[in-house]
């Protein structure tokens, strides 16, 4: 799930190290990097900058992607800070790419006629032509029995990860609204024919199938407390999501690329675990979702690569800001109504780390992947701030791995803790 600042943590969309949640030497919540909210002074300092058009068709000046400052955690009673406008140069560049989007991103979306649908991977509930209702009911009952038999082998901790990912996918209305808030690439009319708008709606339509499929699968298995799961979805949609710079197209596209790749990794790991425990239906379900996420990642990654060519300094500064900032997971504000918002997400994150659905090691690999893919180390003509961010980002993956190694050492010396989830009828799993 993710993009244009959306996600889809899907599913678990972006893992990183969180100092507040690394007690007992656990690698903490699935969120981006270390600092909490930057100081007002630091944000205002980042908000300055100007741009001009340079040689070779590039935007070469110091377009700052950090120009829209962050509010206090507004979804939880914080006071909103004034957000400076997104630099117009960013918006103009994004709008100039509509033709490029039509040629390079829209073909990545599947035609509706040939796309898979949730119905394809679940027991058929209606009679096929030529079949009686009794035959259809018998076939449906047999299909549900087979599905439940496969799911019966799934451990509780894998179920917790699956529920957390599904809940995140189901908050899709929030993610589309965030995409429409992005200046220059949103759908200003609701049915715009501009390529950016068509991509956003097409992405939303494909992502919508993920939550539908996982939700119906979990319902049919009988393994989880669906009312508590539905309550969690309800809370998450009411609570919304947090982003550092929600209107910036540079930040949104970088966020989208990271989220989509993280979701691809998470679903592929879940498919592997499902196969290991004998649930072939879930392995297949996660596999088709994984394929979608990979296509979506390709779209956002290509768009970022294009922007790194057109405005290397602006994108370098944006990437550095994203890596340094507190970029939250789309589902971070999930709540089941029984625990504090941060508590549920932190517990879910800890289980996902331990089970291997999404880990700090995966996050380190992800950072390294994009540094290589966008040729960050090769960028030239950067401002002094851009060079500082280049050096920081290029050295980030080794730092993450060192912190992970330290956390594992601490974890080996501590007692494992049990965490309870209402999703699985208040049973406890190791966190």
């Amino acid at each position: 799930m993710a993009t244009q600042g959306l996600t889809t943590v899907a599913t678990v969309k972006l893992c990183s190290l969180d100092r507040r949640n690394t007690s007992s030497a656990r690698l903490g919540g699935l969120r981006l990097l270390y600092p909490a909210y930057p100081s007002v002074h630091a944000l205002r300092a980042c908000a300055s900058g100007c741009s001009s058009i340079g040689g070779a068709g590039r935007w070469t000046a110091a377009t700052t992607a950090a120009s829209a400052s962050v509010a206090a955690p507004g979804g939880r009673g914080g006071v909103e800070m004034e957000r400076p406008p997104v630099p117009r140069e960013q918006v103009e560049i994004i709008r100039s790419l509509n033709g490029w989007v039509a040629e390079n991103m829209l073909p990545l979306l599947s035609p509706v006629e040939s796309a898979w649908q949730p119905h394809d991977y679940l027991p058929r509930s209606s009679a096929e032509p030529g079949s009686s209702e009794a035959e259809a009911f018998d076939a449906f009952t047999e299909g549900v029995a087979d599905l439940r038999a496969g799911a019966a082998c799934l451990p509780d901790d894998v179920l917790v990860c699956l529920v957390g990912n599904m809940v995140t996918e189901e908050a899709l209305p929030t993610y589309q609204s965030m995409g429409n808030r992005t200046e220059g690439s949103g759908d200003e009319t609701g049915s715009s024919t501009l390529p950016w708008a068509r991509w956003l709606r097409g992405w939303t339509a494909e992502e919508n199938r993920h939550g539908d499929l996982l939700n119906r699968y979990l319902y049919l298995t009988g393994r989880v407390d669906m009312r508590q799961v539905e309550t969690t979805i309800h809370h998450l949609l009411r609570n919304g999501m947090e982003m550092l710079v929600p209107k910036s197209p540079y930040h949104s596209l970088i966020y989208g690329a990271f989220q989509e790749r993280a979701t691809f990794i998470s679903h592929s790991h879940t498919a592997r675990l499902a196969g290991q425990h004998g649930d072939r239906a879930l392995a297949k379900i996660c596999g088709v979702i994984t394929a979608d996420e990979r296509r979506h990642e390709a779209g956002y990654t290509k768009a970022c690569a294009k922007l790194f060519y057109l405005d290397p300094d602006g994108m370098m500064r944006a990437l550095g800001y994203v890596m340094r900032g507190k970029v939250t997971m789309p589902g971070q504000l999930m709540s089941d109504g029984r625990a504090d918002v941060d508590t549920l997400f932190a517990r879910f994150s800890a289980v996902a780390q331990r089970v291997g659905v999404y880990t700090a090691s995966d996050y380190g690999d992800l950072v390294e992947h994009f540094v290589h893919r966008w040729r960050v180390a090769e960028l030239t003509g950067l401002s002094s701030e851009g060079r500082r961010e280049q050096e920081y980002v290029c050295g980030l993956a080794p730092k993450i791995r060192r912190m992970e190694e330290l956390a594992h050492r601490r974890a080996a010396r501590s007692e494992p803790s049990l965490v309870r989830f209402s999703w699985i009828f208040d049973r406890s799993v190791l966190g």
Side-chain angles (χ1 to χ4, degrees):
M1 164 188 13
T3 278
Q4 296 230 86
L6 316 179
T7 208
T8 162
V9 350
T11 336
V12 181
K13 302 198 173 246
L14 271 205
C15 173
S16 88
L17 307 177
D18 183 344
R19 290 188 296 189
R20 293 184 303 169
N21 292 328
T22 51
S23 58
S24 302
R26 288 199 307 269
L27 290 170
L30 305 181
R31 57 180 73 168
L32 253 173
L33 279 176
Y34 321 110
Y37 287 86
S39 68
V40 176
H41 175 76
L43 287 167
R44 288 175 178 167
C46 288
S48 61
C50 60
S51 297
S52 62
I53 299 179
R58 293 189 177 196
W59 290 69
T60 58
T63 305
T64 176
S67 62
S69 64
V70 175
R76 287 167 283 176
V79 178
E80 293 283 344
M81 290 161 45
E82 182 179 356
R83 299 173 189 267
V86 174
R88 301 319 300 170
E89 293 85 354
Q90 284 190 17
V91 179
E92 291 169 11
I93 292 174
I94 291 296
R95 286 176 175 163
S96 74
L97 291 179
N98 269 298
W100 181 90
V101 171
E103 293 180 5
N104 294 275
M105 293 179 69
L106 292 184
L108 294 171
L109 299 173
S110 296
V112 177
E113 294 74 20
S114 59
W116 65 266
Q117 299 299 337
H119 186 267
D120 301 333
Y121 294 94
L122 296 168
R124 186 181 179 91
S125 59
S126 57
E128 296 186 28
S131 299
S132 67
E133 286 297 325
E135 290 172 329
F137 182 76
D138 289 343
F140 176 69
T141 302
E142 182 179 350
V144 171
D146 289 343
L147 186 145
R148 291 168 80 102
C153 301
L154 293 176
D156 279 347
D157 47 13
V158 175
L159 282 174
V160 165
C161 294
L162 187 61
V163 170
N165 288 346
M166 184 274 281
V167 167
T168 306
E169 295 278 4
E170 289 283 60
L172 182 62
T174 299
Y175 314 141
Q176 185 179 31
S177 69
M178 294 297 286
N180 278 327
R181 193 172 286 115
T182 304
E183 294 192 29
S185 60
D187 184 356
E188 295 183 0
T189 69
S191 58
S192 170
T193 59
L194 290 175
W196 276 120
R198 289 162 56 198
W199 167 265
L200 178 60
R201 293 198 306 271
W203 171 87
T204 301
E206 293 192 354
E207 290 283 340
N208 185 64
R209 302 170 306 159
H210 302 172
D212 284 352
L213 179 53
L214 293 172
N215 193 317
R216 294 175 199 173
Y217 164 85
L218 284 168
Y219 174 79
L220 290 174
T221 67
R223 291 292 312 277
V224 301
D225 185 338
M226 281 305 297
R227 194 176 200 286
Q228 280 302 118
V229 172
E230 290 160 354
T231 297
T232 307
I233 296 169
H234 196 161
H235 275 294
L236 181 55
L237 281 166
R238 284 174 61 119
N239 293 343
M241 66 176 289
E242 295 173 345
M243 282 188 64
L244 279 173
V245 193
K247 293 187 178 182
S248 166
Y250 285 16
H251 285 77
S252 293
L253 289 168
I254 291 170
Y255 185 86
F258 271 80
Q259 290 286 8
E260 293 298 334
R261 186 165 183 83
T263 308
F264 154 70
I265 293 169
S266 175
H267 281 302
S268 64
H269 287 174
T270 305
R272 173 179 52 80
L273 289 171
Q276 288 176 355
H277 292 288
D279 191 339
R280 290 179 295 177
L282 180 58
K284 185 178 293 186
I285 285 169
C286 291
V288 297
I289 295 175
T290 294
D292 276 3
E293 304 292 7
R294 188 150 214 174
R295 284 188 294 107
H296 298 161
E297 177 211 337
Y300 290 105
T301 300
K302 283 184 176 182
C304 288
K306 182 68 172 179
L307 288 171
F308 268 108
Y309 173 76
L310 294 173
D311 183 9
D313 193 64
M315 279 295 283
M316 189 64 253
R317 296 170 72 181
L319 179 60
Y321 188 77
V322 168
M323 295 294 94
R324 293 179 187 274
K326 176 178 175 289
V327 180
T328 56
M329 285 277 293
Q332 192 202 343
L333 300 184
M334 66 173 61
S335 169
D336 61 358
R338 297 186 183 180
D340 294 336
V341 168
D342 283 335
T343 303
L344 179 59
F345 188 81
R347 286 185 283 135
F348 158 59
S349 302
V351 175
Q353 165 72 34
R354 185 186 59 79
V355 173
V357 164
Y358 200 83
T359 70
S361 178
D362 293 321
Y363 176 62
D365 292 343
L366 187 148
V367 171
E368 197 167 61
H369 167 82
F370 284 117
V371 167
H372 175 73
R373 174 64 178 80
W374 294 327
R375 299 181 176 180
V376 173
E378 301 171 25
L379 296 176
T380 59
L382 302 178
S383 64
S384 59
E385 183 180 345
R387 290 193 298 272
R388 285 196 300 271
E389 299 301 344
Q390 181 184 43
E391 181 179 1
Y392 171 75
V393 171
C394 289
L396 188 54
K399 292 179 182 177
I400 294 171
R401 293 194 175 98
R402 286 196 296 271
M403 291 186 69
E404 181 193 18
E405 183 179 352
L406 177 61
H408 279 308
R409 290 177 183 174
R410 290 176 179 169
R413 297 194 298 266
S414 64
E415 291 293 326
S417 59
L418 290 172
V419 287
R420 181 176 298 176
F421 288 90
S422 65
W423 302 336
I424 52 173
F425 303 98
D426 290 312
R427 295 192 297 271
S428 297
V429 299
L430 287 175

